[in-house]
Structure formats: C-alpha cells, structure tokens
Amino acid sequence: MTVSGPGTPEPRPAAPGASSVEQLRKEGNELFKCGDYEGALTAYTQALGLGATPQDQAILHRNRAACHLKLEDYDKAETEASKAIEKDGGDVKALYRRSQALEKLGRLDQAVLDLQRCVSLEPKNKVFQEALRNIGGQIQEKVRYMSSTDAKVEQMFQILLDPQEKGTEKKQKASQNLVVLAREDAGAEKIFRSNGVQLLQRLLDTGEADLMLAALRTLVGICSEHQSRTVATLSVLGTRRVVSILGVENQAVSLAACHLLQVIFDALKEGVKKGFRGKEGAIIVDPARELKILISNLLELLTEVGVSGQGRDNALTLLIKTVPRKSLKDPNNSLTLWVIDQGLKKILEVGGSVQDPPGELMVTANSRMSASVLLSKLFDDLKCDAERENFHQLCENYIKSWFEGQGLAGKLRAIQTVSCLLQGPCEAGNRALELSGVMESVIALCASEQEEEQLVAVEALIHAAGKAKRASFITANGVSLLKDLYKRSEKDSIRIRALVGLCKLGSAGGTDFSMKQFAEGSTLKLAKQCRKWLCNDQIDAGTRRWAVEGLAYLTFDADVKEEFVEDEAALKALFQLSRSEERSVLFAVASALVNCTNSYDYEEPDPKMVELAKYAKQHVPEQHPKDKAGFVRARVKKLLAAGVVSAMTCMVKTESPVLTNSCRELLSRVFLALVDDVEDRGTVVAQGGGKALLPLALEGTDVGQTKAAQALAKLTITSNPEMTFPGERIYEVVRPLVSLLHLNCSGLQNFEALMALTNLAGISERLRQKILKEKAVPMIEGYMFEEHEMIRRAATECMCNLAMSKEVQDLFEAKGNDRLKLLVLYSGEDDELLRRAAAGGLAMLTSMRPSLCSRIPQVTTHWLEILQALLLSSNQELQHRGAVVALNMVEASKDIASSLMESEVLEILSVLAKAKESPVTRAAAACLAKAVEYGLIKPNQDGE
C-alpha cells in the first residue's frame, strides 16, 4: 500500500446497499480534486449521516481530516483523524494525517508516536520515513534549545534581581533578552516552567519602571495565545494586582499593562469559545468566570481615587475592545448586559468628571470621549426595547441623583453627564435633556459669571443643538443666546465654544447651496475666526479643538473650503493638532477633510426629476459652483502639497477609542479622493498612504472598508505593488481586493479589483496561492461572463495570470466544465485586448498541461479558424501567442499535429517561419521541425 500524502482522499469499492454513501464520497473526492475543500467536507458529512458502515465511517473521517488540513484547521483535522483511528486502529492514512495536524499544532511528542506507528505498519514507505526524520530533527532542535536556555533564564533573573546591578547596561541587556526569549513559544514555556511568573512578580514589586516594563512585556509572551498559562499567571499575580498596574503614573508602564491585559482577555475569550480547552488541551477553570472577574476589576478601577488619568483611559479602552460583541450575528450579549448592570454608573461617573479644575477623579482630555464611545458601543449592543429601556432608566436615575438635592455642583455634574451621553448614545442623551429642569438649567448657566460653569453649560448646548430632535426650542432660541455669548464674553474659551454652536446651527443645510442659514458673508467670517483661533498656539489644544469642530461644520460651504485650503498656516496647524495628545479632535479633522475633498456620497440629480420638482414647487438641492470637479481636484492637490497624507497616516496609527469605525470611514473616503487622479498616487505612496490604507480596509464600517479597498486597488493598478506594499504587507492587500469582487460592489470597484489582482497574480506563486485561499477564483470566473467588455476582459487577464498555479490548471483539466471552451472562444472575439488575454491563458495552459491540447478540437468546431486568425493577426503579440499554442499542440500529439498540417495552418506557419527573426518565427519553425520529425511533412531541397 502506498500513501500519497495527507491531502488525497481515496476511493474504495462500494459496499452492498451503500450506493448513496459511495456516490457522496465520489462527489466529495471530485470536489476535493477541484480545490473545493468546503464542498468536499459537506459531501463527506452528508455521507456520514446516511448510516455508513464502520469501514466507510473510517474512510469518511480521514477524508474530512484531509479537508481540514487543506483548510488549515488543524484542531478539527486531529479530531477527524482520531475518529477514523477509533474505527480502525491500523488505519495508516488516518495516523499519518493526525501526525500532520499534531505537528502543525506544535505537539511534536504526540506527532512522532503516530509516525512511529505508521513506520511499524509500513516499514518500506519512504513518505513515512522522511516525515519521521524531519520531526525527529525538530524535536532534537527543541531539546537543544530548551537545555541551552535553562542556564540563560536563571542568569537573566539573577542579574535583574541583583540590587548591585541597578541601572547598569548588563541589567538592561538581560531585560531585553528576557523579552525576546518570551516571544517564542518554547522560550515562554521555559520561563514559565522555571518559576518565571513568581520571579517576574518580584520585578513588578520593585516599582522601578524599567524592570516593570521588562516584566510586563515578558508576561505578554507567556500569556499570548496560551490559556492555561494565562490562568496560572493570574492565580500567581492576582487579577487585582495586574489591573492595578494600569493606574500607575508612568504612561509607558500603564500602556504595557494595558497590552498584557488585552492578551489575557484574548486568551480567556478563546477559551470561552473552545469550551475550557487550552492550547495544549489541558482542562482548566471556567474562563468565562475569569473574564468577569477581570472586567469587574476594570470597572472598579474607573472610580478609584488615586488612579492616573492615563490608567483610567486605558481601562476604558480595554472595556471598549472586550465587552461588546464583535459581530451582531452572535446572539449572546450577556456580557454587555452584565457590565451595564454592574458598571454603568461607574462609566457615567467618568463621563461626568471635569479635567480642569481637577476633581476627585483624575481624567485626561480624552477620558470623557472614551466614556462616550464605550456607552455608545454598549447601547448599540442591546437587542430589544426592554434592554434599551433599562439602559435609559439607569442613566436617568443617575442624572437625577446628582441634579436633585446636590446643589450647583450636582447640577453641573448632571449636565456634564448629559453632554457625555449626547456625544455617545444620543437617544439616551435626548431623553435625559427632557428631564424636568435640565434644559432650563443649561440656559441659565450659560449666563453664569463663573467660567467653569459657563463651559459646562455651553458645551451641553452645543451637543444638544446637533442631536436633540425633540428639544426643538434649542434651534429656535439658540442662535440669539450663542450670538450674545460670542459677542459679549471676554473669555476666548467661551467665545470659541459659542462660535461652534453657531457653526452647527448655520450648517443645517449641509451642502445645499440654496439653504444658507446666515446672511451672505457671515459663514466666511465665522470660518475666518475659527482659523485664527486654530493658528494661535498660545491657546491650549483642548480649546483649539473647538475651532476644528467649527470648521468641520462650516466646510459644508464651498467658499469656506476654498479659503481654508489656501490658508497654509491653518492647514499646518490642523495637521499638527491631529498629531497631538488631544485625540478627541480626530473626528472633526476627518470631517473637515471629507468636506474639502467632497468625498461624501453625492448623486447627480436626474434633470427630468429636477424639472418635475420645480414644476411641483418642491425644493431642489443646488450644488455650489465651487463644488464642481475642477475646484475639487485643485483642493486635493493643495491638501497633498500641505502634507495631508502624513497627517492621516498618523491618525490611522492612533491607539485610542476615539478612532471609531465612523472616523475610520471618513479617513477612507478622503484617501479614495486623494488617489482618484493617477498623477497623485505616487505622492500618496511616498508619504505612507499604502501602509495606512491596509488597517482601514480590514476594520471599520462596511462602507469604510470598501472605500479603503478601492483606494488600495487604484494604487496596486498604477504602481509597483512590491514597492507600495513592501515585505509581508503585500499579502495583506489580497483580502480587501477580493472583497471588491462581491456583487454588492459597483462595476467600477469590480473592474479595479480585477486589474489589481491581475498585477498581484503576475508577481509570485505565493501571492497566487493567497488569492486562491481567499476563494477569489469562482468570483473571477463569474466576471468572465460579464456583459461589460472591460470587466470581462479584466477577469480573463486575471485568470491568465492565475493559470500559472497548479490548482488553477487542475480546474481547467477537470472533466465536465467549459473553462477551456470559454478561453478558446474568447481567443476569436473582436475585442483585441480580450483576445490577447484569452490567447495568453491558452498558451500558458497548453504549455503547462499538454493533455489540454487534445481537448481544444473537442470544445468547439471553430477552433481551427480561431487559431488561424491568431496566426494571421497583424498584432505581433497575438501572432506569438497563436504560434505558441500551435507549437504546444504539435508537440502534444502526432494526431493533433497531423490535423494541423492538413489544414491551412501549414502554409501560414511556413510563411511565418521565413519572416524576420522574432519569437513568432522561432515558434513557427519549431512547429514545422516537429512535423518533420513525425514524418508528416518533408523539408524542401534547401533543407527548409
């Protein structure tokens, strides 16, 4: 018995009465050969459900194991192979496949046992012998590595814990080596087994920032993707101890603790999904319980006195990332409900705190915005009206508890909390505004003589002006109140906020030129004042942020856009502010850039519908003359010259909850506008735009991901992908591009994705494999039938490049499909570019798979005239491809060569062979030489 490898399902004779099982198994085998591993898996699963015999079950389970190996799901591959072995302990193929899965899972000691069993069953099998040698070498290397690191680990800890070595270079090097060692799983395991967690605890207890950083970064390696080590680490250090490190004053230490806790959360959540099984299969305590203990400690930290503002922000960030569901398709939102019941008041307490003057809780400029984002995500994660009503009641009860009977300080805290809700789940904020006395207090406090009270009230009024649908009197009475504050206040901090409120109310018409709220010139005056404040670096960043907020609204007006992009100082100040610690400015910056580049969705109205609306005396939105394409292009070029790409790249890198999915979408829109002109794409790439687009295309709203993917496609089409996306980054581009092939994308997006994938497929086999793995081939084939000639041509070109891969060649060679026929027919189309692509694919396939040559005459009766037309084409590329196809057919079989030599092809080849030296003449001469060799034709007297 020979074994062809782990990926070859095998047929067997059908047992009596098992025709349906046999039929499904054969269907699965055919699907497997065609590369449809999921389809094959389904067929084998269906066969198992039809009462298969134990022998059949063993074969079906090991075939399922082969599918899982191909799909790189090694846990399931091991499980399926084990089921086959349970049915038949001597199933050598199942043993081999399980060894492959175990090797990939890093369980070499178990994999070698299976291979030894395989060799004992088939001593002469070279595949088994070679696999056993390879895995033996891996085990020896691991043993050598582990033994050599034993002494090193001990030595490193001795140096780090030696008080005499304080601040020395030796100590610094030891800490770096420890962190590097922990990044490899074998090194992390060695540290863990060498009493490492207890020793790292001692480093944490020193209180020295450098040692604490080294300890935290080493713990990241120990806990990363390893649930049982994670739980053991928490039991040694104590959950409370780990969480408390977040609250230290040192920002680097707090961030390192945040990273460690994120890794711990990921390991525990993976355990919840897998049902308490760790990476190595050990049974451990309930990870869901550990998860709740961690979250409970984070919620406690939010309101703990003495915790740093940075630590509070990091705790909010962790809650944002870990509590809400990743996908609304997941029906379980129990964690969100638990956090709302246990910690909503604590989150609201942070949202209602003020930075200046410092209150009981230390907060940063970003704390309130982070609390708003968390509240918004929790509210969005609720599934029904009853859950939302509970959220509203908790918020309203909290606000009432401060508003009633707590004096002026309590009212300020309540209003600040309402502002926080308006910036987050605005539905809850709107309901809070309607509570008795709240809006009246806001209006009254706007006239206060105390700056702190005025600030809180004016900010609440601004947020209400944008969000309060049911508090319509704000819009009616707000303008006069805000104008009064803007004109009479002596404090810039009040005036700038009042101006933003005016900007909000003044931009109610959006981009509709005919819906101006203010008198002619007023909007430009407001914008000029905003730019003046923005450029004044004597004003703190928190106050200047409001100037950007104002511009985000005013730039709906095209006149404002034009003046803004001409103001180099204002653009420079805007980009500098976007890089500052004031993270809450990001959304406003992105909004202003979307407006300046007109990258919001806009559809040109149908002229007939416009006429009809005018006749019916209905309002028709008008576009500003300066929002025409020429003006927009000019603005884009000015933004590029000012360094917009570098600023946006820094914004994308932001590790902050403020970079919400909505903010990501805005940045994606701007990037797409920046790369619209081919001439500008080099500038975007040079300033790091390609690198910044990747995370935008992989995370965010559906619209944002699509826009970023389209921008990536444009860059991939016109620039060298290996330069634009260096190193491993080029492989990350494939998935966003494949996402543009879905039917819900526009024809232009489909076309650009196909063009970009064509470029990638021509670079390397590894990239072609990545495209195949993303299941792009069926979609590309579908577009080869598209009515639009440019999409059809792009799909054919892409398939031509993919044909260099064995898997795609197998698809063309598989029986019962029309793939080859389509290429042959397209080689005879009128569209010259389509003919070139199809003929190129034919030349490639017939060269790599000679068996296809004999099938060309079978797929269509017109094959000969199509080949002759290629050979007679005035386009030398088409001629060359036709000559290569003819040569491949002649070399494939004497019978095919005979049919060609009996046709006009002989005469055409004879003429081509005598032409001026070129690839075409060489291919034609080679055809004739082969025909002579077969004895089908004879050379003339000159030997030609």
Side-chain angles (χ1 to χ4, degrees):
M1 177 181 176
T2 58
V3 175
S4 53
T8 314
E10 62 289 323
R12 65 176 290 273
S19 58
S20 54
V21 173
E22 178 67 17
Q23 187 179 349
L24 281 166
R25 183 170 52 243
K26 284 182 178 177
E27 184 184 323
N29 292 349
E30 285 301 316
L31 289 166
F32 188 96
K33 288 175 186 174
C34 293
D36 185 358
Y37 307 121
E38 288 183 350
L41 203 55
T42 304
Y44 297 141
T45 305
Q46 289 173 348
L48 278 168
L50 295 175
T53 64
Q55 189 181 0
D56 281 330
Q57 287 177 25
I59 292 171
L60 289 166
H61 279 304
R62 72 191 185 207
N63 284 1
R64 279 171 58 81
C67 293
H68 286 306
L69 283 169
K70 285 289 187 182
L71 292 167
E72 298 181 13
D73 192 339
Y74 303 116
D75 280 314
K76 288 183 181 176
E78 182 215 347
T79 303
E80 291 295 332
S82 296
K83 286 179 181 177
I85 294 163
E86 284 173 18
K87 302 289 180 188
D88 180 3
D91 189 335
V92 72
K93 284 195 173 185
L95 283 163
Y96 182 68
R97 286 171 191 167
R98 188 167 73 174
S99 74
Q100 298 283 311
L102 289 167
E103 182 184 354
K104 292 290 185 181
L105 290 168
R107 289 147 66 182
L108 301 180
D109 51 341
Q110 292 171 269
V112 79
L113 292 175
D114 280 346
L115 280 173
Q116 286 170 347
R117 177 83 175 130
C118 289
V119 171
S120 68
L121 290 169
E122 291 189 14
K124 295 182 180 179
N125 191 304
K126 291 182 179 178
V127 174
F128 296 158
Q129 292 169 2
E130 183 64 27
L132 188 59
R133 273 196 297 274
N134 288 341
I135 209 163
Q138 288 181 53
I139 290 172
Q140 287 176 3
E141 183 62 34
K142 187 175 179 180
V143 169
R144 277 198 301 272
Y145 176 77
M146 296 296 278
S147 59
S148 68
T149 55
D150 275 352
K152 289 180 183 176
V153 170
E154 192 177 338
Q155 187 182 16
M156 280 186 264
F157 276 116
Q158 281 178 353
I159 294 168
L160 290 170
L161 293 167
D162 184 354
Q164 302 300 318
E165 295 284 354
K166 190 172 182 179
T168 64
E169 187 180 333
K170 196 175 180 182
K171 201 165 193 173
Q172 188 179 8
K173 192 172 182 182
S175 64
Q176 288 173 349
N177 289 341
L178 195 64
V179 174
V180 170
L181 182 65
R183 286 177 188 158
E184 294 292 330
D185 189 62
E189 184 68 19
K190 191 66 213 169
I191 295 169
F192 180 75
R193 293 188 184 280
S194 302
N195 204 32
V197 178
Q198 287 85 346
L199 293 168
L200 290 168
Q201 186 178 25
R202 289 174 60 187
L203 291 180
L204 290 172
D205 291 340
T206 62
E208 292 180 35
D210 289 345
L211 292 181
M212 290 180 77
L213 282 171
L216 290 167
R217 288 166 182 166
T218 305
L219 285 166
V220 166
I222 289 172
C223 296
S224 185
E225 296 183 8
H226 204 297
Q227 191 194 112
S228 57
R229 284 203 303 247
T230 298
V231 175
T233 299
L234 283 174
S235 67
V236 172
L237 298 178
T239 305
R240 184 67 191 150
R241 172 78 177 98
V242 177
V243 172
S244 67
I245 300 170
L246 270 182
V248 300
E249 284 293 336
N250 188 296
Q251 286 193 18
V253 173
S254 180
L255 277 171
C258 183
H259 185 207
L260 171 60
L261 284 165
Q262 183 65 61
V263 167
I264 289 172
F265 271 120
D266 291 342
L268 292 176
K269 279 202 163 187
E270 191 62 28
V272 173
K273 280 192 275 183
K274 288 190 176 180
F276 312 166
R277 288 178 67 85
K279 185 174 178 181
E280 67 303 312
I283 304 299
I284 63 163
V285 295
D286 182 355
R289 180 176 169 277
E290 295 292 322
L291 202 59
K292 280 192 174 180
I293 292 171
L294 255 181
I295 290 172
S296 179
N297 277 284
L298 282 176
L299 291 170
E300 290 295 328
L301 187 83
L302 289 181
T303 54
E304 212 169 280
V305 177
V307 171
S308 68
Q310 178 73 31
R312 226 177 293 280
D313 287 357
N314 287 335
L316 288 167
T317 301
L318 284 166
L319 290 167
I320 289 166
K321 287 181 177 178
T322 55
V323 176
R325 292 171 291 171
K326 295 291 182 189
S327 168
L328 294 180
K329 293 177 183 176
D330 177 4
N332 184 10
N333 70 338
S334 59
L335 195 57
T336 293
L337 296 176
W338 183 81
V339 167
I340 288 171
D341 287 337
Q342 300 295 316
L344 184 61
K345 288 181 181 178
K346 292 179 173 65
I347 300 164
L348 289 171
E349 194 168 333
V350 177
S353 298
V354 290
Q355 184 187 4
D356 195 26
E360 194 176 50
L361 299 182
M362 283 190 284
V363 291
T364 70
N366 302 313
S367 299
R368 191 143 50 94
M369 182 59 78
S370 295
S372 294
V373 172
L374 176 55
L375 289 166
S376 182
K377 284 188 173 289
L378 291 174
F379 187 78
D380 291 342
D381 204 35
L382 300 177
K383 295 192 293 186
C384 63
D385 289 343
E387 292 174 0
R388 284 185 276 272
E389 185 59 34
N390 177 56
F391 186 96
H392 289 313
Q393 287 297 326
L394 288 170
C395 290
E396 288 169 22
N397 290 341
Y398 177 83
I399 291 165
K400 283 178 185 176
S401 71
W402 279 104
F403 194 77
E404 298 167 1
Q406 296 282 348
L408 184 58
K411 283 184 168 56
L412 286 171
R413 170 64 73 101
I415 292 169
Q416 188 86 314
T417 307
V418 172
S419 286
C420 178
L421 286 169
L422 285 166
Q423 287 177 282
C426 55
E427 189 180 322
N430 285 332
R431 277 189 51 161
L433 272 178
E434 293 180 351
L435 291 172
S436 176
V438 172
M439 210 52 240
E440 289 79 2
S441 295
V442 170
I443 299 293
L445 285 169
C446 281
S448 170
E449 293 182 4
Q450 296 296 318
E451 184 178 1
E452 294 79 17
E453 295 169 9
Q454 262 193 316
L455 284 174
V456 171
V458 172
E459 284 186 24
L461 191 65
I462 291 166
H463 297 312
K467 302 280 176 72
K469 294 176 183 175
R470 290 183 286 277
S472 56
F473 75 94
I474 298 172
T475 308
N477 305 315
V479 173
S480 57
L481 178 63
L482 291 168
K483 277 184 178 178
D484 192 53
L485 284 170
Y486 177 60
K487 288 176 181 176
R488 297 188 183 182
S489 178
E490 296 176 1
K491 303 178 183 73
D492 277 349
S493 58
I494 301 296
R495 292 186 69 221
I496 196 168
R497 285 164 172 79
L499 183 142
V500 172
L502 290 170
C503 295
K504 264 191 173 184
L505 296 170
S507 62
T511 57
D512 186 354
F513 181 49
S514 62
M515 289 280 285
K516 289 202 170 188
Q517 302 292 306
F518 293 151
E520 192 70 39
S522 296
T523 308
L524 287 171
K525 286 179 184 175
L526 290 173
K528 187 175 181 181
Q529 184 60 55
C530 280
R531 297 203 311 272
K532 182 180 174 183
W533 272 320
L534 175 62
C535 295
N536 186 351
D537 54 13
Q538 300 301 310
I539 302 174
D540 66 278
T543 305
R544 288 164 68 206
R545 166 177 76 89
W546 288 97
V548 184
E549 291 272 357
L551 287 167
Y553 290 101
L554 293 173
T555 47
F556 280 122
D557 187 308
D559 289 317
V560 173
K561 301 177 199 181
E562 287 294 314
E563 284 196 2
F564 186 35
V565 297
E566 291 290 347
D567 190 338
E568 291 182 17
L571 288 177
K572 186 179 178 183
L574 180 78
F575 299 153
Q576 283 178 344
L577 195 59
S578 72
R579 295 185 177 98
S580 71
E581 292 298 314
E582 184 63 46
R583 303 284 78 188
S584 52
V585 78
L586 295 183
F587 191 86
V589 172
S591 299
L593 292 174
V594 165
N595 292 340
C596 288
T597 57
N598 282 36
S599 45
Y600 40 72
D601 292 325
Y602 174 78
E603 286 187 19
E604 198 71 42
D606 185 341
K608 291 182 180 178
M609 294 302 292
V610 171
E611 289 301 317
L612 191 61
K614 285 179 179 177
Y615 180 75
K617 296 184 179 178
Q618 294 292 315
H619 173 69
V620 180
E622 294 179 24
Q623 188 183 36
H624 196 291
K626 291 181 181 176
D627 273 332
K628 301 291 184 188
F631 284 95
V632 176
R633 276 196 298 272
R635 289 201 293 267
V636 166
K637 291 190 182 300
K638 285 168 186 171
L639 286 170
L640 284 168
V644 68
V645 177
S646 300
M648 288 172 63
T649 303
C650 291
M651 289 166 71
V652 173
K653 290 178 184 175
T654 301
E655 287 289 335
S656 167
V658 178
L659 189 67
T660 59
N661 287 343
S662 299
C663 189
R664 286 171 171 274
E665 181 185 318
L666 295 179
L667 292 172
S668 298
R669 288 176 179 276
V670 178
F671 267 120
L672 183 57
L674 296 178
V675 299
D676 190 54
D677 192 330
V678 177
E679 293 178 5
D680 297 330
R681 293 175 193 173
T683 305
V684 173
V685 171
Q687 293 181 15
K691 182 181 177 182
L693 276 166
L694 281 169
L696 294 175
L698 296 169
E699 185 183 346
T701 64
D702 290 341
V703 172
Q705 287 179 276
T706 301
K707 300 278 185 190
Q710 190 177 0
L712 283 172
K714 288 177 184 288
L715 292 179
T716 309
I717 291 167
T718 53
S719 59
N720 180 351
E722 291 174 290
M723 299 283 285
T724 308
F725 312 104
E728 293 296 304
R729 207 169 287 141
I730 194 170
Y731 303 101
E732 295 176 38
V733 181
V734 175
R735 181 171 295 173
L737 294 180
V738 172
S739 71
L740 293 177
L741 297 179
H742 293 292
L743 294 174
N744 58 345
C745 293
S746 68
L748 177 62
Q749 290 166 342
N750 299 153
F751 172 72
E752 290 179 332
L754 288 165
M755 293 283 284
L757 288 168
T758 301
N759 275 3
L760 293 179
I763 291 173
S764 71
E765 179 58 25
R766 190 179 164 194
L767 271 168
R768 289 190 287 275
Q769 288 299 321
K770 178 67 175 171
I771 294 169
L772 293 172
K773 190 177 176 182
E774 294 295 335
K775 300 183 177 67
V777 170
M779 290 186 276
I780 295 166
E781 285 185 322
Y783 286 115
M784 288 176 72
F785 293 92
E786 178 67 39
E787 286 184 20
H788 196 291
E789 62 179 22
M790 291 177 71
I791 295 177
R792 186 168 67 239
R793 182 197 309 149
T796 308
E797 288 174 349
C798 191
M799 188 58 72
C800 174
N801 281 359
L802 287 171
M804 289 185 271
S805 288
K806 175 184 175 296
E807 288 81 357
V808 176
Q809 294 161 19
D810 289 342
L811 292 175
F812 276 89
E813 202 169 31
K815 293 178 181 177
N817 71 78
D818 290 330
R819 294 183 178 94
L820 185 65
K821 180 179 180 179
L822 187 65
L823 277 189
V824 174
L825 291 174
Y826 278 178
S827 298
E829 283 285 308
D830 293 334
D831 181 349
E832 193 170 281
L833 293 172
L834 177 62
R835 286 177 73 196
R836 189 177 69 180
L842 265 185
M844 173 75 65
L845 287 164
T846 51
S847 174
M848 305 296 286
R849 295 294 171 97
S851 60
L852 291 173
C853 295
S854 60
R855 286 174 51 189
I856 289 177
Q858 299 167 13
V859 296
T860 173
T861 54
H862 302 290
W863 71 276
L864 199 54
E865 56 192 85
I866 289 171
L867 182 58
Q868 288 172 1
L870 287 173
L871 292 168
L872 291 169
S873 173
S874 56
N875 184 310
Q876 197 162 23
E877 277 191 72
L878 282 175
Q879 247 188 356
H880 181 232
R881 291 171 192 211
V884 171
V885 172
L887 176 59
N888 292 337
M889 293 180 75
V890 168
E891 289 182 337
S893 143
K894 184 176 179 179
D895 291 339
I896 301 173
S898 176
S899 61
L900 286 173
M901 293 305 121
E902 289 170 3
S903 69
E904 294 177 12
V905 170
L906 173 59
E907 188 178 342
I908 297 168
L909 290 172
S910 300
V911 173
L912 291 175
K914 294 175 183 176
K916 187 179 177 183
E917 175 72 14
S918 71
V920 177
T921 59
R922 287 195 291 273
C927 284
L928 296 173
K930 192 67 180 176
V932 170
E933 186 184 319
Y934 284 141
L936 298 173
I937 59 174
K938 293 180 180 179
N940 58 23
Q941 290 180 349
D942 299 328
E944 294 180 353

